[in-house]
Amino acid sequence: MPGNGWAKRRRDRRRDMGNRRGQALKAPLLYSSDIETIAEDEERLTAEIVEQMAAGNRCAFEHHRHAIRDAHAKSHAVLRGTLTVHDDLAPELRQGIFGHPCTYGVVARLSSAPSDIHSDAIPAPRGFAIKVIGVEGERLSPDIGGANQDFLMVNFPVLAFGTIAKYKLMLSLLEANAHAPDTFQRLIAGTARGAKKTVEALGMTPGATLEGLARDNHHPLGESYHTQGAIRFGDHVAKLALSPASDNVRALTGQPVGKADFSTMRDVMVEHFAGQGAEYALSAQLCTDLAEMPVEDAAVRWDEKVSPHRPIATLRFAAQDAYAPARQVYGDDVLSFNPWNGVAAHRPLGQIMRIRRAAYERSTSYRHRMNARPRIEPDRLDDIPD
């Protein structure tokens, strides 16, 4: 593990304190139950979307004769690590499971976003899901069992379809792309990258849809990851992000993996963790204005000039076998990650987060039933096999 993590955290905290002294940050919004607004026809649209996703999941099962997730189906690494909450947080950041300095065990699953399994030669959004083990607090979904907190993140900060109505319109396109032949998907990605460069050359900002389709095959360990949707953050509202902190993963940011084959992302992660670890900064961006930082539209990027991301914890992984056979089976067939598996202090907020409650539960139940695997919430790091 690189030895400069402690010094870097000290620098980050001094800079954060300096920013607060140099200019007063706008007061964070206080959480209340009326922050959310139920969309028109939300119940009907949710039922239709969940059924459409279930149909795609059943098709994938028939193709593979094995049930897979209906999002982030392809895993690349399953990691054991620790999450250390910083000991000098400002009061507005000492919230929920980050309320006091401590170190939690963590299991993470790194993945690609599509709902089917394709070659890594096809650029795709990458996912970084973490399960914080053994947290205290009122449970959002007591039926799941365990005492863990899941945070699910993707390597760009917003969704192309930030509302349920938009997601319904996009779903057929997303599923068609996910199940399309690899050659067609490579063509789509190449075309999107060309369009993105044209938009940027004209001084405009590419939309979230184009950004998603135009993802390059950069090293996933050098990427930054985002919750995209908002969550309750104790007394406040926030979005979370993970960013590379140790020098070895910072050096991977923006670095292409080279010529990609079917399992290149797994291979580069296994190679990395065979001889070294990694360190990431977990940060919170507090909502200060619902008009500028809405919770009901996950396609709107929150302006960091208005409310910057502020470090709250450090995620560390030691060198390990990141994808041993027992790890892969446990991560793909036994483990579940669900934004609604956690404590009330970190309740998911907004339309996209609400629909995930039904979608993730249906997908998880189907996957465990069809694969005849138990659904287990780990109680300690040793539950994760080597």
Side-chain angles (χ1 to χ4, degrees), residues 16-28 92 288 305-308 310:
D16 189 42
M17 291 173 66
N19 286 342
R20 279 183 268 156
R21 285 194 297 265
Q23 60 176 45
L25 296 177
K26 191 175 179 181
E92 65 270 22
T288 59
K305 293 179 182 178
V306 175
S307 179
R310 299 162 68 186

Side-chain angles (χ1 to χ4, degrees), residues 228-255:
Q228 298 184 317
I231 65 169
R232 180 179 178 181
F233 195 70
D235 294 334
H236 305 295
V237 175
K239 291 185 178 183
L240 303 186
L242 271 176
S243 56
S246 54
D247 286 345
N248 59 344
V249 284
R250 287 166 65 92
L252 298 175
T253 300
Q255 294 300 310

Side-chain angles (χ1 to χ4, degrees), residues 73-94:
K74 187 177 185 180
S75 62
H76 307 301
V78 179
L79 303 171
R80 292 192 300 203
T82 59
L83 183 73
T84 300
V85 178
H86 295 172
D87 59 6
D88 58 354
L89 296 179
E92 65 270 22
L93 297 177
R94 291 199 302 267

